[in-house]
């Protein structure tokens, strides 16, 4: 009756859990009482279920590297819990508390992962705890190697953080540098995740390399907008990153520019003018926009190739 039944097989990135119940026919033919047989079967089933429940506890920020991309595998998520309206899960998604899966603790895979809404990337401080945690979880900004070496406190005997999520959810809480006179915040951006202590409200200069660390930069085809260029790569244009590309150093890094980098205006910039453009348009030259307010992912020109930040 029970012979050869396989109940469950679970495969995970780090291990494989097998759970099989095989009851030989002779078990039913023995002289055991039927109640004893039922008790034995129940014990085996409970033991099997316990093994399975242990096997599926995969930490939300555990990851494996496939084709150069980080694939997050989580049957269960840790989350920040404490918010009145929002929470962030250990995969880097933020959602309304009513949207979280009550069985897994995970937010829906909708919206932006590792969102930094309301965050100052320079100081690594945010005006929202949940978005601070989400932004911090981006492996480009916070590496597990650094986290494991970071002490929980300044005391020599203090332990270290054990996971990326624990680090981010801990660092983003208020600390002594967040308040003044013990009853007021130094700045609205009082949730900070930097490994080094940067007081909230202090502006930290970022170079272009840091600003563009979490995007891919593509040179578009002539006549295409950055929206179209990024879409062709199955990505989205990050308009807030265009300012970091709007200078001669970045333009010359990705284009020839033929020795010319000219200040200009237009929604299709920063860009390189194609060699087939009319002479008065400076064929081969690079153009950066002197009007930052004009920077847009939607702009394009028939004779230019845009420099685009995609993510």
């Amino acid at each position: 009756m029970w012979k050869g039944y396989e109940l469950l097989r679970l495969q995970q990135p780090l291990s494989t859990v097998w759970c099989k119940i095989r009851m030989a026919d002779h078990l039913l033919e023995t002289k055991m009482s039927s109640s004893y047989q039922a008790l034995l079967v129940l014990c085996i089933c409970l033991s099997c279920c316990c093994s399975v429940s242990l096997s599926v506890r995969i930490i939300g920020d555990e990851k494996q590297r496939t084709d150069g991309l980080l694939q997050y595998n989580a049957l269960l998520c840790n989350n920040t819990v404490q918010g009145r309206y929002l929470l962030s899960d250990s995969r880097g998604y933020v959602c309304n508390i009513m949207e979280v899966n009550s069985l897994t603790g995970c937010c829906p895979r909708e919206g932006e992962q590792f969102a930094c809404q309301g965050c100052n990337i320079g100081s690594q401080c945010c005006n929202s705890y949940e978005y601070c945690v989400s932004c911090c979880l981006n492996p480009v900004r916070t590496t597990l190697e650094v986290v494991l070496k970071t002490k929980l406190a300044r005391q020599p005997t203090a332990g270290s953080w054990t996971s990326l999520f624990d680090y981010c959810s801990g660092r983003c809480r208020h600390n002594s540098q967040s308040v003044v006179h013990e009853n007021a915040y130094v700045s609205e951006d009082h949730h900070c995740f930097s490994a080094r202590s940067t007081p909230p409200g202090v502006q930290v200069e970022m170079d272009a390399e840091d600003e563009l660390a979490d995007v891919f930069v593509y040179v578009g085809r002539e006549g295409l907008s950055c929206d179209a260029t990024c879409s062709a790569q199955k990505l989205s244009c990050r308009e807030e990153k265009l300012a970091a590309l709007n200078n001669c150093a970045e333009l010359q890094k990705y284009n020839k520019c033929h020795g010319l980098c000219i200040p200009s205006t237009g929604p299709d910039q920063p860009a390189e003018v194609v060699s087939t453009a009319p002479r008065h348009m400076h064929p081969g030259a690079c153009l950066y926009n002197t009007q930052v307010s004009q920077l847009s992912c939607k702009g394009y020109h028939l004779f230019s190739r845009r420099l685009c930040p995609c993510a």
Side-chain angles (χ1 to χ4, degrees), residues 220-229 232 268 297-302 304-306 308:
R221 295 169 58 185
E222 59 184 275
L224 289 185
S225 67
C226 278
D227 278 339
T229 298
D268 63 308
C297 288
K298 295 180 172 59
Y300 64 92
H301 193 285
L302 292 178
S304 69
R305 302 173 63 198
R306 296 207 57 183
C308 304

Side-chain angles (χ1 to χ4, degrees), residues 238-246 270 295-297 306-307 309:
R238 295 287 297 276
E239 194 164 273
E240 75 276 11
K241 301 291 186 180
L242 282 169
L245 293 174
N246 190 43
L295 296 176
S296 167
C297 288
R306 296 207 57 183
L307 193 60

Side-chain angles (χ1 to χ4, degrees), residues 27 42 44 51 61 64 66 71-72 95 140 151 161 176 180 188-189 208 305 307 310:
L27 178 62
L42 178 60
I44 293 174
S51 298
D61 56 9
Q64 66 180 12
T66 305
Q71 303 292 333
Y72 279 73
C95 65
V140 173
K151 294 286 187 180
W161 299 99
S176 58
V180 61
E188 290 185 0
D189 301 336
R305 302 173 63 198
L307 193 60
C310 306

